[in-house]
Amino acid sequence: MINWDILLHELESGKCILCVGPDVYSKAEGVRLEQKLADTLRQKSDALGIRVYDDGWFHYLKERDELATWFSIKQFYETQLPPDSDTLFQGIAALPFHLILNFTPDYRLREAFLSSGKPFEFDCLNKTENCKKADVEPTIAKPLLFNMLGEIKEKESLIMTYDDLFGYMEAIFDKKRLPKNVKDKLEQASHFIFLGMPLDKWYFHLFMRVLNMHKDTTKTKRFAATYSANSANATFSEEQYTLTFVQEDIVAFADLLKIKSAAAQAEKTDGKAQGTYERWRDFVKTGEDIAIRQMFREMKPFTEQNNDRNNHRIMLEMQWNGFSSTVFETEMAKNAMKSQIVNGILYLIDQIEQQNPNGQP
């Protein structure tokens, strides 16, 4: 039974962490992601010099091509992931998480944040290097998306073979690579939500052990939505980690969480949901390139029927493009130009709002 009031409170306070696993790419009766990867690699295993296992992992043979193997895996994640997961990730991007742990090495979640215009930081656990964003504090305004199994563009970061696993386990258990900002959030967390985390995979249980969840089941609440839970796995996880399995599937649970969060936010603002123009102004206030470009995209339909305003929008967008690509000699010059463009954007928002007070183009 989920206490939604407590869950939503902890979500906004940064004490609820989302963990996204590879089964978000699976349907209830579909082929799982690691099976698809194994089939893809097995078709060219002789040329690559690898022995492929059913779980998508492989072992390098004496004569192998490591670069071509990595490139095959990279191409798989770039071209073979189902597009229907995009809707789920877009919904996740709208939720007020501070930290999201991603247990696949792809960028689909990051792309959803880019499309939304919401500011964020991205980093990954690397078995050989320190994390780049270790000193960045995850916040509701700029959450941290953290790939736990590396990222496909960084070959040395990926966990692909059992040898990689040993390096990964060392990095985790010795706490050499897990950055302080992530460790702090994990230690402070009161709630964990698992979407598509496969209960029968080693890294799920490794992760739970790292958090010492098997030792203390009173400090945190955990909720899981997955397609892969059979009765044995579910019973084991319920007993070991006191996981609560929600009745909805992955997408349905994420949608429900989004609805509950939006309703709570509307109640806090006297039932008034944030309007179009308030959202634009918030985008501008971030000063983030991604957010401001998203604002321009949303603004376009509002200006197309008025030549003067449309020209004004185009001019401001060109100015912002120039600002973004300019290397300034002084910080003062940079701030002066940015301030001029921002004031122009805010003025245009005011003009559009006067003409379209209902927030519709």
Side-chain angles (χ1 to χ4, degrees):
M1 183 68 178
I2 299 176
N3 186 321
W4 286 101
D5 290 337
I6 295 177
L7 174 60
L8 294 172
H9 177 272
E10 299 298 86
L11 173 59
E12 291 205 12
S13 66
K15 294 182 179 180
C16 180
I17 294 174
L18 177 63
C19 302
V20 180
D23 279 346
V24 297
Y25 295 117
S26 303
K27 294 292 187 181
E29 303 298 331
V31 179
R32 296 174 72 177
L33 188 66
E34 69 270 12
Q35 293 174 290
K36 293 180 181 179
L37 177 58
D39 291 341
T40 298
L41 293 176
R42 196 174 282 119
Q43 291 174 8
K44 39 190 170 183
S45 59
D46 290 341
L48 297 175
I50 58 176
R51 179 176 293 112
V52 183
Y53 305 105
D54 289 339
D55 57 7
W57 288 49
F58 59 87
H59 172 71
Y60 282 122
L61 302 177
K62 185 176 181 180
E63 300 294 330
R64 75 279 190 108
D65 190 336
E66 294 188 18
L67 186 61
T69 302
W70 160 74
F71 192 72
S72 297
I73 294 171
K74 178 175 178 290
Q75 283 188 314
F76 172 84
Y77 279 104
E78 290 176 339
T79 63
Q80 300 300 313
L81 298 182
D84 53 4
S85 59
D86 291 346
T87 301
L88 170 65
F89 291 139
Q90 289 164 6
I92 290 174
L95 291 167
F97 284 103
H98 293 219
L99 174 64
I100 301 176
L101 303 181
N102 186 26
F103 285 81
T104 57
D106 62 277
Y107 303 110
R108 192 64 65 84
L109 178 61
R110 186 176 75 173
E111 289 168 359
F113 273 78
L114 285 169
S115 297
S116 74
K118 183 176 180 179
F120 68 94
E121 297 285 0
F122 174 82
D123 204 352
C124 77
L125 183 65
N126 192 315
K127 61 183 181 292
T128 60
E129 298 179 1
N130 291 328
C131 297
K132 302 179 183 68
K133 306 289 184 180
D135 297 327
V136 175
E137 175 67 20
T139 65
I140 195 171
K142 185 177 281 190
L144 174 62
L145 314 183
F146 193 80
N147 274 19
M148 288 291 290
L149 299 177
E151 56 176 312
I152 54 176
K153 288 184 179 179
E154 300 291 338
K155 175 179 176 292
E156 298 306 319
S157 75
L158 291 176
I159 312 299
M160 301 185 295
T161 70
Y162 281 105
D163 286 337
D164 293 334
L165 170 60
F166 297 139
Y168 180 84
M169 292 177 66
E170 182 182 10
I172 289 287
F173 284 117
D174 291 349
K175 300 186 177 179
K176 293 178 179 178
R177 301 300 178 195
L178 198 63
K180 185 178 184 300
N181 53 0
V182 174
K183 285 191 289 188
D184 288 347
K185 282 295 184 184
L186 293 177
E187 291 171 359
Q188 296 162 8
S190 63
H191 287 68
F192 289 84
I193 295 176
F194 301 96
L195 295 183
M197 288 290 287
L199 307 182
D200 55 345
K201 295 303 174 184
W202 62 266
Y203 54 78
F204 174 78
H205 300 284
L206 171 64
F207 178 61
M208 301 298 269
R209 291 295 197 242
V210 168
L211 298 181
N212 289 324
M213 286 186 173
H214 63 301
K215 294 180 179 178
D216 189 345
T217 58
T218 63
K219 291 184 178 179
T220 57
K221 299 290 184 180
R222 298 150 221 128
F223 307 103
T226 182
Y227 296 124
S228 64
N230 59 37
S231 57
N233 288 328
T235 299
F236 178 83
S237 297
E238 287 170 349
E239 292 175 350
Q240 292 292 309
Y241 315 125
T242 60
L243 271 175
T244 298
F245 289 90
V246 296
Q247 296 302 310
E248 300 82 3
D249 64 21
I250 295 171
V251 174
F253 178 74
D255 287 343
L256 179 60
L257 182 59
K258 182 179 177 182
I259 291 169
K260 294 281 189 181
S261 177
Q265 186 61 38
E267 185 176 342
K268 288 170 61 177
T269 56
D270 297 326
K272 297 178 181 178
Q274 186 185 42
T276 301
Y277 308 118
E278 288 78 9
R279 186 174 67 255
W280 291 356
R281 292 184 180 102
D282 285 348
F283 282 163
V284 176
K285 289 174 185 176
T286 67
E288 296 284 341
D289 182 65
I290 294 172
I292 291 177
R293 291 186 188 279
Q294 175 67 21
M295 183 274 307
F296 279 127
R297 286 194 291 270
E298 293 185 12
M299 181 185 285
K300 185 177 180 181
F302 289 78
T303 64
E304 287 179 325
Q305 303 304 316
N306 184 300
N307 286 336
D308 288 341
R309 289 204 184 94
N310 203 46
N311 290 336
H312 192 184
R313 175 188 58 79
I314 293 172
M315 181 193 69
L316 287 168
E317 194 165 359
M318 291 175 61
Q319 289 178 345
W320 182 258
N321 289 338
F323 168 78
S324 301
S325 60
T326 299
V327 178
F328 293 90
E329 293 184 0
T330 66
E331 192 69 20
M332 183 179 295
K334 179 180 179 180
N335 291 337
M337 184 175 180
K338 186 176 185 178
S339 178
Q340 179 183 356
I341 299 172
V342 164
N343 288 336
I345 295 173
L346 293 174
Y347 175 78
L348 180 56
I349 293 174
D350 290 341
Q351 294 296 305
I352 296 172
E353 185 174 19
Q354 291 178 16
Q355 185 68 32
N356 305 80
N358 62 355
Q360 298 294 324

